[in-house]
Amino acid sequence: MDYQYIMAYDTVLEALADPTRREIFERLRDGPRPVGKLADGLPVSRPAVSQHLKVLKEAGLVTDRKDGTRRYYGVNREGLDELRAYLDEYWEDVLANFAVHLERDTAAKDKKNDD
Amino acid sequence: MDYQYIMAYDTVLEALADPTRREIFERLRDGPRPVGKLADGLPVSRPAVSQHLKVLKEAGLVTDRKDGTRRYYGVNREGLDELRAYLDEYWEDVLANFAVHLERDTAAKDKKNDD
DNA sequence: ACTAACCGTAAGTAATGGATTACCAATACA
DNA sequence: TGTATTGGTAATCCATTACTTACGGTTAGT
């Protein structure tokens, strides 16, 4: 089986790096929208929006549902999980490491003051 | 006064979209490193690393400290705050909105079953 | 069945961005 | 004071990518 959605945090980062895609993703915040509605008011053409939606979909950030001649795109609620987890983990790591070095530096400083 | 660091979530996303920059950022996870050490083993040249560090710095993700002829780069512990906050907020919004529509749909379904 | 609305894909183009090499400035050290 | 180490910047090149227009396919409605 081949997976259509990736959702790895790096793919998500690359998908959200483009301002137009961020704007589209933003417009999905409060519910699914058809492609036309999403393109409406954007400074780019509708086909461009289709292409962006494809990238967002492959990153696992959105899902689509067909309804007649329209296709509704909505956010995939698990799409951000990996990225959020990665950032949390990274942050924890940095804080922990900072604490270690602060302790070490303090110890070194204390030792220096021993003379 | 002009701010050297931006740290807006969109700038952070654009900075972390590049795989080489992610690798550099990753190498800073457990403490500051000089540029040469960071470039060591990477598939790109040292000047390339310098340029990436500039982007990371302007995004507010890293800070630098000069020590002799070396320049140590380390993670800025507040660098990820905005992005993390944005993702959390977005996620909350999506969940809340999903709940609302689920409720509404359920109500509609109930009404439909009323005949 | 014909027409209109909606959307995805293909092909081509222009712009962005990541890489390189070459160069220069600053510090350390003999 | 010369020489080596370290690293930032400039100029340039090339690959990627974000756009456009043109087209075709599918569904709805008359």
Side-chain angles (χ1 to χ4, degrees):
Chain A
M1 43 178 150
D2 49 356
Y3 290 99
Q4 188 167 2
Y5 306 114
I6 306 293
M7 227 165 32
Y9 81 92
D10 54 348
T11 313
V12 171
L13 283 172
E14 287 164 23
L16 290 181
D18 182 79
T20 306
R21 278 197 293 270
R22 278 198 300 272
E23 176 63 28
I24 294 173
F25 192 59
E26 198 55 46
R27 286 177 181 214
L28 293 177
R29 194 195 273 246
D30 40 55
R33 300 274 182 278
V35 178
K37 266 271 194 260
L38 289 173
D40 218 45
L42 282 186
V44 297
S45 67
R46 185 198 47 75
V49 173
S50 267
Q51 291 163 8
H52 283 308
L53 284 168
K54 186 180 182 182
V55 174
L56 290 172
K57 183 178 171 181
E58 284 172 354
L61 286 171
V62 303
T63 57
D64 56 332
R65 171 175 51 88
K66 221 185 148 189
D67 181 30
T69 170
R70 298 165 196 267
R71 183 172 289 267
Y72 284 82
Y73 282 86
V75 312
N76 174 20
R77 272 165 303 118
E78 293 127 40
L80 290 177
D81 285 356
E82 272 210 27
L83 176 58
R84 283 166 32 103
Y86 170 76
L87 294 179
D88 286 355
E89 189 205 67
Y90 189 96
W91 193 69
E92 299 264 354
D93 253 34
V94 168
L95 282 200
N97 187 264
F98 180 76
V100 166
H101 283 286
L102 199 144
E103 182 187 318
R104 202 171 65 183
D105 293 353
T106 306
K109 194 180 171 191
D110 287 351
K111 195 177 178 196
K112 190 183 175 191
N113 286 348
D114 269 354
D115 53 12
Chain B
M1 41 177 154
D2 51 354
Y3 290 100
Q4 188 169 0
Y5 306 115
I6 307 293
M7 226 166 32
Y9 81 92
D10 54 347
T11 313
V12 171
L13 283 173
E14 287 164 23
L16 291 182
D18 182 77
T20 306
R21 278 197 293 270
R22 277 197 301 273
E23 176 63 27
I24 294 172
F25 192 59
E26 198 57 46
R27 286 176 181 216
L28 293 178
R29 196 195 271 247
D30 41 54
R33 300 274 182 277
V35 179
K37 267 270 194 260
L38 290 173
D40 217 44
L42 281 186
V44 297
S45 67
R46 186 197 47 75
V49 173
S50 266
Q51 291 163 6
H52 284 307
L53 284 168
K54 186 180 182 183
V55 174
L56 290 171
K57 182 178 172 182
E58 284 171 353
L61 286 171
V62 303
T63 57
D64 57 332
R65 173 175 50 88
K66 218 184 150 190
D67 181 30
T69 169
R70 299 164 195 264
R71 183 171 290 266
Y72 284 82
Y73 282 87
V75 312
N76 175 19
R77 272 165 303 117
E78 292 126 40
L80 290 177
D81 286 356
E82 272 211 27
L83 176 58
R84 282 167 32 104
Y86 171 75
L87 294 179
D88 286 355
E89 188 205 66
Y90 189 96
W91 194 69
E92 299 263 353
D93 254 33
V94 168
L95 282 199
N97 187 265
F98 181 75
V100 165
H101 284 286
L102 199 145
E103 183 186 318
R104 201 172 65 184
D105 293 353
T106 305
K109 193 181 173 190
D110 289 350
K111 196 177 176 196
K112 191 184 174 190
N113 287 347
D114 271 354
D115 52 14

